[in-house]
Structure formats: structure tokens, C-alpha cells
Amino acid sequence: MILEGTRFGDIEVDGEKIITIPEGILGFPNSKRYVLLDHSGDSPFKWFQSVDEPELTFIIIDPLFFKPDYRIEISRNEIPILQPFAPDDLSVMVIVTIKEGAKDITANLQGPLVINTKNRLAKQVVLVDTQHTTRHSMKFLFSPKVCNTSPHPTLQTV
């Protein structure tokens, strides 16, 4: 399938790689299908390109890259759309916001994307009663000392 995008031009997308978010992302309920694109060879950032609205693209990252203690706890009942799954089938990513001139870079740790890598279904989970914020600063990533941890699942199901 050819995706006529505004940011990357026309790109070929393997239909098997499309991730579906049946409920959409908060604020973007009509865009339900996305594809992950690499930002660059060794960058931890990914592009989360909408298939439904080619002008819509999010920057996402595995939160463990910059916050190794990031954990979320949700019950299986809260994410029935992702089932059936084993914990190893799930991947957690967070949306990054870059303000004007890259002076303020934040990650939404309160609304992570939980992706079932087996069935390609996903959900944006809104965490309540948490210490996580929607604007976790990532400015330190661009300092000489960059946190570089190896990613692993950050989701604990109960």
C-alpha cells in the first residue's frame, strides 16, 4: 500500500505492519491506523505516522531510554482490546512534544501507548493517581551525558 504523506512523501507501507488503535489517540479520534517509521539509523525516536490522516505524525520513544525506572500498572480488564496477550507481547511507547526551536522537549508519561506486537492492536492508556506527568522534560537527552539503557517491557499486568 502506498501512503501519500506530507512529511515523508509517498512511502510504501506493508499492510501487515499497520498498528490499529480502535479508540484513537486523545484528540485524534478519527485516526485509528498507524505505522512505525525509523527516525534515523541509531536514533531512539520513531515516527508514528497516521495512515488515515497522512498529515498527522507523532514522535514516540520507548520511555526506558530516558527513564529507566518508568513502570505502569494496569489490569487486563482495562485493556481488553489488546487481548489475548502475554506480557512479552506488549511494547510501551510515549509521545514526545518538541516546542519551538527544540527549546522545550517533553514526553507524555501519563498517557503511554501500549502496543500488542503480536496482533498489532494498541491503546493509549491514561494513568490516574500517578506521579507521571504529561510533560516530563527530556532536555537532558541533548546534554553531553545521555541516558542510554537497553529497552525492555515497562508494563506490569495485574
Side-chain angles (χ1 to χ4, degrees):
M1 139 188 229
I2 300 294
L3 178 62
E4 296 177 17
T6 56
R7 181 176 303 270
F8 306 108
D10 294 351
I11 54 173
E12 188 164 346
V13 175
D14 179 352
E16 303 273 322
K17 302 280 185 183
I18 292 176
I19 297 167
T20 302
I21 305 177
E23 298 168 355
I25 291 176
L26 288 174
F28 303 92
N30 298 324
S31 193
K32 300 183 185 298
R33 298 178 305 149
Y34 293 84
V35 64
L36 272 174
L37 303 172
D38 288 328
H39 177 68
S40 66
D42 60 350
S43 174
F45 297 99
K46 304 268 186 208
W47 297 104
F48 202 49
Q49 172 68 56
S50 171
V51 174
D52 300 317
E53 299 177 60
E55 66 280 359
L56 178 62
T57 307
F58 295 97
I59 300 170
I60 63 174
I61 189 171
D62 181 329
L64 292 182
F65 182 80
F66 62 91
K67 188 162 177 43
D69 62 342
Y70 182 73
R71 299 288 181 272
I72 62 174
E73 186 175 299
I74 55 180
S75 87
R76 287 180 180 266
N77 296 333
E78 291 178 87
I79 51 173
I81 193 67
L82 302 178
Q83 294 188 36
F85 65 84
D88 289 345
D89 295 342
L90 301 179
S91 173
V92 176
M93 304 294 275
V94 294
I95 296 175
V96 175
T97 301
I98 301 175
K99 298 282 182 171
E100 181 182 328
K103 292 179 184 173
D104 188 21
I105 301 170
T106 60
N108 181 353
L109 298 182
Q110 197 171 4
L113 299 171
V114 180
I115 303 168
N116 183 326
T117 58
K118 295 287 187 203
N119 66 15
R120 314 294 294 171
L121 291 171
K123 177 176 177 65
Q124 183 176 29
V125 178
V126 178
L127 305 174
V128 292
D129 297 328
T130 179
Q131 74 279 8
H132 302 304
T133 70
T134 58
R135 297 177 193 256
H136 180 85
S137 178
M138 294 178 62
K139 284 193 276 187
F140 65 89
L141 277 181
F142 301 96
S143 69
K145 287 187 173 185
V146 174
C147 176
N148 189 7
T149 63
S150 54
H152 61 289
T154 60
L155 176 70
Q156 177 180 5
T157 57
V158 290

